[in-house]
Amino acid sequence: MVTVYGVITAGYAGTYNSELYNANNGLFIADGDYSIMLYRVPGNVIPEGAVVGETVVKAYAKVALFKGLIQLTYENVQGATLEIVSEPSRAFVSNEVTLDAMPSKMTDLSRQAKITGEVTSVSKTIDGANDVTVAVKVSDSFTMNVFLKKQAGWDYAALATALAVGNKVEVKGFIAIYDANADGSPAKYASSTGWQIVNPTSAAVVAE
């Protein structure tokens, strides 16, 4: 069990409550350098008045590894807590990295990152109803997937406009992985094709 402080960076539209809670997901919280998913927080314990991008919370939960990704598990964990705090334990400053090559280490996970490139494919319509994977070609040798979680409280219409095939875009989010074979092995992280950007904090068309 660990204690983590962070700003809520993605979850569900506006103010959190049990009606908006999607049991298949959770909350992302970030401290400026790293982000982590607090998985399956029951709707009735999401603090009243919590707002994306503004509210600092203190989470006490169990560390877990899922398909290579480190996360915090809340569901069915005795003693787990989530509360709003008025004073963060540290300054939440940004330490963003620019990706021009595929991540390769477990320590790359959950870093705040930026990519710039051409959208080459979109797996489904970006409307919030489905999980969507967007491929962004950064260079001839490097294409990064951007994963958009359904019902995460984002402006999906704006994302659909920005992330249209053929657009040159700048996307900011957090480095993640989805690869069962990557669990625990440094060599498998280095060779994995499951790296992606998740929890996008911005996506914008840039001038050619």
Side-chain angles (χ1 to χ4, degrees):
M1 300 285 285
V2 297
T3 298
V4 175
Y5 292 82
V7 176
I8 297 173
T9 59
Y12 314 97
T15 300
Y16 293 82
N17 57 47
S18 58
E19 286 72 31
L20 291 173
Y21 176 67
N22 173 352
N24 293 318
N25 198 4
L27 305 178
F28 275 98
I29 58 177
D31 68 357
D33 290 332
Y34 290 90
S35 174
I36 196 163
M37 184 179 189
L38 186 59
Y39 183 60
R40 289 194 174 175
V41 185
N44 61 0
V45 304
I46 296 172
E48 183 177 355
V51 178
V52 171
E54 299 179 12
T55 302
V56 178
V57 293
K58 174 184 175 183
Y60 180 64
K62 183 179 180 180
V63 177
L65 191 66
F66 179 73
K67 296 190 184 298
L69 181 66
I70 299 170
Q71 61 187 28
L72 298 180
T73 298
Y74 193 103
E75 185 181 51
N76 299 323
V77 175
Q78 185 175 4
T81 59
L82 180 66
E83 59 185 296
I84 294 175
V85 292
S86 57
E87 296 293 335
S89 62
R90 54 168 292 172
F92 294 111
V93 295
S94 175
N95 187 21
E96 180 182 273
V97 297
T98 299
L99 289 181
D100 54 15
M102 194 68 71
S104 61
K105 305 182 298 296
M106 194 173 187
T107 51
D108 290 327
L109 287 172
S110 298
R111 292 300 306 271
Q112 193 167 6
K114 176 178 73 175
I115 58 172
T116 302
E118 180 186 349
V119 177
T120 57
S121 68
V122 179
S123 65
K124 295 181 180 179
T125 301
I126 302 174
D127 58 7
N130 299 288
D131 294 341
V132 179
T133 298
V134 178
V136 178
K137 182 181 178 181
V138 178
S139 68
D140 288 343
S141 59
F142 173 42
T143 294
M144 191 69 169
N145 286 334
V146 178
F147 178 72
L148 307 178
K149 184 66 183 176
K150 65 183 178 182
Q151 301 174 7
W154 297 309
D155 183 342
Y156 287 98
L159 286 171
T161 299
L163 298 175
V165 172
N167 282 353
K168 183 178 181 181
V169 295
E170 178 187 270
V171 180
K172 297 182 180 182
F174 296 88
I175 302 170
I177 197 169
Y178 188 80
D179 182 352
N181 293 322
D183 285 359
S185 170
K188 290 178 180 177
Y189 281 93
S191 62
S192 175
T193 59
W195 292 98
Q196 55 190 345
I197 295 291
V198 300
N199 187 22
T201 54
S202 68
V205 177
V206 298
E208 294 289 344

